[in-house]
Amino acid sequence: MLIQITSGRGPNECELAVGLFLSSLKSELGELEILAEEKGRYNGTFKSILVKISENTSLCGTIQCVFKSPYRPNHKRKNWFIGIKQIDEPNGSIYETAVGGIVYQTYRSGGKGGQHINKTESAVRAIHTATGLSAISQDERSQHLNKKIALERLQKMLTGIKDEIDLFSQHELNHNHNLLARGNPIRIYEGTAFKRTF
């Protein structure tokens, strides 16, 4: 399960709360993996973190953190809010470009080749089984070379899809910063020791 912990474009104190919540989450769940992070201004602070956790927990919503600002001692505000959002994992099969995920079909070439044309199955179609995408090559007289070219073309197509998915995922993560609702928290923590009170 992937979750994004975001400061919601809040001030440095919210970025600190993200770091404190991450430490608390590590203590609570044990095993988690940080996939991406956008560091905050101070050490141990984060604007946003993308985390993979093994447990399927209901952590989506707003977290309220109550502490005096360590950065602005005379600041009256003590309530800081961060957001937790579950992110859908991209379909891993799209990234699969190993030969095991590809089926090859051969057929007679209709291209150049002189006397060789239409006598052997030198043209090759490479099909990615997970997505159904395919690429062909009949450029060469050798089936082996056409297989190599078809595979290279197919890998370029898969890389293009991966880049589109990565771009969409980044837009979604950036958009989540603006969705933070301040109020109705699912958890409340107090102090920089981050003691959970609700």
Side-chain angles (χ1 to χ4, degrees):
M1 175 177 164
L2 299 182
I3 60 168
Q4 181 187 16
I5 310 167
T6 175
S7 63
R9 307 212 187 279
N12 297 325
E13 293 81 3
C14 293
E15 295 173 3
L16 173 61
V18 171
L20 294 172
F21 181 73
L22 178 66
S23 298
S24 175
L25 200 59
K26 284 179 183 175
S27 300
E28 182 181 330
L29 300 179
E31 189 177 327
L32 54 84
E33 179 184 357
I34 297 174
L35 301 177
E37 61 183 39
E38 187 180 349
K39 292 188 182 289
R41 180 176 178 187
Y42 296 100
N43 191 27
T45 67
F46 300 90
K47 295 178 186 298
S48 176
I49 305 176
L50 184 63
V51 180
K52 185 172 190 172
I53 58 177
S54 54
E55 286 186 36
N56 193 2
T57 59
S58 56
L59 277 176
C60 295
T62 302
I63 306 288
Q64 181 179 356
C65 311
V66 183
F67 58 83
K68 193 172 168 103
S69 171
Y71 311 119
R72 299 179 282 174
N74 297 325
H75 195 63
K76 293 180 181 178
R77 181 175 165 192
K78 288 192 268 181
N79 292 306
W80 314 100
F81 296 92
I82 62 173
I84 313 294
K85 176 129 173 52
Q86 183 175 341
I87 306 294
D88 294 327
E89 287 194 63
N91 186 347
S93 62
I94 289 174
Y95 301 103
E96 180 189 59
T97 56
V99 174
I102 297 177
V103 174
Y104 294 97
Q105 295 175 342
T106 58
Y107 58 96
R108 290 184 181 170
S109 173
K112 61 184 179 183
Q115 293 177 346
H116 186 69
I117 196 167
N118 289 328
K119 292 188 178 175
T120 61
E121 294 188 348
S122 60
V124 176
R125 175 180 287 112
I127 304 167
H128 187 246
T129 55
T131 60
L133 288 172
S134 66
I136 62 168
S137 175
Q138 55 185 18
D139 304 342
E140 301 294 332
R141 295 172 82 176
S142 159
Q143 186 184 95
H144 177 74
L145 288 175
N146 280 329
K147 186 175 183 181
K148 182 180 176 185
I149 293 168
L151 178 60
E152 288 171 358
R153 289 175 178 166
L154 183 59
Q155 285 176 328
K156 282 183 183 176
M157 292 169 71
L158 291 169
T159 299
I161 289 175
K162 179 186 178 302
D163 290 345
E164 284 182 29
I165 288 172
D166 289 345
L167 185 63
F168 176 78
S169 297
Q170 190 58 50
H171 284 307
E172 183 183 2
L173 292 177
N174 289 339
H175 179 65
N176 289 339
H177 290 300
N178 300 322
L179 299 179
L180 176 60
R182 288 159 179 82
N184 198 21
I186 59 168
R187 293 185 181 188
I188 299 175
Y189 293 87
E190 289 191 8
T192 50
F194 228 61
K195 182 181 177 186
R196 186 174 172 185
T197 58
F198 171 74

